[in-house]
Amino acid sequence: MKLIRVADAAQAGKVAAEIIAQKIKSCPDCVLGLATGSTPIETYNNLVQMYRQESVDFFRVRAVNLDEYIGLGAEHDQSYAWFMRQYLFDHVNIDPANTYIPNGLETDSDKECRRYDAVIESLGGIDLQLLGIGPNGHIGFNEPADTFAKGTHRVDLTEATIAANSRFFESIDQVPKQAYSMGIQNIMHARQLLMVATGENKARAVRDAFRGAITPWVPASVLQLHPDFTLIADEAALSLVLDKL
Ligand code: GLP
């Protein structure tokens, strides 16, 4: 694992965007695995800026997202489909036909999970997967559990995640209780992984994931096994591990 220490969230977004832009330059039709949450917003802002300065071109890029809430359609303003348009897709020249995200309105979860795995396979897998980390160590929506989920699956969100994500909704009751998420195997098969972790509320998750045992109870801990994993983290997120990573 490679660690890039940064001063703060703004710098983390800059560094992550540069790595993604570099990937696009070396492979203009690359498959980017994208993430949501507040952390990647800085990364997307920087990518949009680079696009406007003509230093990155999304024309042939394919993008596949990690997860989506069950019950929210793409037109719901808290859906991850909406988030991606709001922060990235509407501002760059990516072809919407080349963007993929689980369909939160599909009620047949087996069918939707098989469909999404087939999408990832048909794209030839993921070249670079961007990740955030939940305060409980989740990645995508792979929640702490007694096994690692392989492919795309339906998740019952934990109370901790519902509470953490309630800040984006008018009330906690409006937060969906389930989601579709890529599995750990989908993520681990990505050729390159890039995680951004900033802020003190990620310090415990960073410590448990990268200093502790590899266990599905801390889903991000599995990333220790990936051959090309980079963590971009600020001092606050690293505060419980100091120089030991
Ligand atoms: C959600 C997303 C994750 C994200 C996590 C942390 O649960 N499914 O992909 O990493 O939130 O979000 P934030 O960056 O807002 O802390």
Side-chain angles (χ1 to χ4, degrees):
M1 122 175 212
K2 183 179 167 196
L3 172 65
I4 302 178
R5 289 168 182 271
V6 293
D8 52 26
Q11 205 192 340
K14 219 169 189 166
V15 173
E18 274 159 17
I19 293 172
I20 294 169
Q22 205 47 53
K23 171 60 70 184
I24 298 172
K25 277 177 205 160
S26 65
C27 176
D29 64 346
C30 64
V31 178
L32 295 180
L34 297 179
T36 53
S38 51
T39 308
I41 292 175
E42 282 289 338
T43 304
Y44 297 149
N45 287 344
N46 279 281
L47 283 170
V48 169
Q49 209 179 326
M50 291 164 115
Y51 167 73
R52 289 183 180 147
Q53 293 162 346
E54 296 182 14
S55 59
V56 64
D57 181 2
F58 288 81
F59 183 59
R60 292 168 60 204
V61 167
R62 282 89 47 82
V64 60
N65 259 79
L66 279 169
D67 47 14
E68 179 60 283
Y69 288 116
I70 291 180
L72 302 192
E75 296 311 315
H76 191 290
D77 66 3
Q78 290 307 330
S79 72
Y80 286 165
W82 180 285
F83 175 102
M84 289 310 302
R85 294 197 305 274
Q86 183 182 11
Y87 290 107
L88 185 65
F89 298 158
D90 281 354
H91 310 288
V92 298
N93 64 336
I94 197 164
D95 181 347
N98 285 338
T99 66
Y100 304 88
I101 192 156
N103 175 7
L105 292 183
E106 176 56 67
T107 51
D108 183 340
S109 51
D110 286 345
K111 184 175 145 203
E112 180 56 13
C113 294
R114 279 197 308 271
R115 182 192 74 81
Y116 206 62
D117 283 342
V119 165
I120 299 168
E121 208 182 312
S122 73
L123 295 171
I126 298 164
D127 291 304
L128 186 159
Q129 176 68 56
L130 179 64
L131 295 167
I133 186 168
N136 64 359
H138 76 241
I139 46 176
F141 266 134
N142 289 272
E143 293 279 40
D146 51 16
T147 55
F148 287 118
K150 288 183 185 152
T152 305
H153 57 296
R154 185 182 63 195
V155 183
D156 291 325
L157 300 176
T158 60
E159 276 180 30
T161 295
I162 292 170
N165 290 1
S166 65
R167 68 192 193 276
F168 300 112
F169 292 80
E170 273 172 29
S171 78
I172 195 163
D173 305 333
Q174 292 179 7
V175 186
K177 308 279 181 291
Q178 293 186 316
Y180 290 125
S181 178
M182 278 188 204
I184 294 295
Q185 193 174 60
N186 301 119
I187 295 169
M188 289 296 280
H189 278 176
R191 289 174 270 282
Q192 183 180 351
L193 296 179
L194 187 60
M195 173 180 278
V196 181
T198 56
E200 212 181 316
N201 72 326
K202 300 298 170 69
R204 198 170 56 95
V206 166
R207 180 198 63 195
D208 293 351
F210 305 118
R211 288 281 294 154
I214 296 167
T215 162
W217 290 105
V218 185
S221 64
V222 75
L223 304 176
Q224 294 180 40
L225 297 175
H226 195 280
D228 190 351
F229 169 58
T230 301
L231 170 65
I232 301 172
D234 68 357
E235 294 306 324
L238 292 169
S239 57
L240 295 180
V241 288
L242 298 171
D243 292 330
K244 295 180 210 124
L245 268 189

